Amino acid sequence: MILVAGPYRSGTGDDPRKLDANVRAMNEAALSLFRAGHLGVTGEALALPLLEAAGSTRPGDAVYEEIFHPVAEQLLARCDAVLRTGGPSEGADRMVERARAWGKAVYTGLDEIPAAR
């Protein structure tokens, strides 16, 4: 299981179209991982529905802060590796740092990932 970590809010000004584009890019990477025999996952896939259910009204509100990054951190703990995608992102960089500290593999491109068994 490989966590796809890329920008979500970074550089978007919280524009919903740009946020959606960032999620779409991470989902496309997760799909490529799946087609290569891995399970690619994103924190957004788990966190965004929870944010909606919890009543978050905008990125960065109190509910967002309570849920968004903690979900990704809990997911990372269960992953074998991280694929860092996209441009600048403090949150994605934090996932990479944690993954390295926990001894997990970190990749920066799909071509670096070993074939699935």
Side-chain angles (χ1 to χ4, degrees):
M1 188 159 60
I2 300 173
L3 178 69
V4 178
Y8 175 62
R9 290 181 70 193
S10 297
T12 67
D14 293 336
D15 178 326
R17 292 172 304 205
K18 292 178 180 178
L19 295 170
D20 288 344
N22 284 344
V23 171
R24 198 168 34 259
M26 286 183 277
N27 287 341
E28 289 170 3
L31 176 59
S32 294
L33 288 168
F34 175 77
R35 287 184 170 154
H38 300 281
L39 178 57
V41 295
T42 69
E44 288 76 6
L46 299 175
L48 293 175
L50 293 179
L51 290 172
E52 182 180 345
S56 177
T57 58
R58 62 179 173 73
D61 68 10
V63 174
Y64 177 96
E65 294 300 327
E66 172 196 3
I67 294 171
F68 192 81
H69 288 290
V71 163
E73 291 167 7
Q74 288 183 29
L75 182 58
L76 173 60
R78 289 158 178 80
C79 289
D80 303 299
V82 171
L83 171 61
R84 176 63 167 90
T85 64
S89 170
E90 189 176 306
D93 290 343
R94 189 175 324 122
M95 294 298 103
V96 167
E97 289 173 23
R98 290 227 163 102
R100 286 188 174 129
W102 293 342
K104 297 176 186 286
V106 174
Y107 306 105
T108 57
L110 290 166
D111 59 330
E112 298 175 359
I113 300 172
R117 299 175 203 193

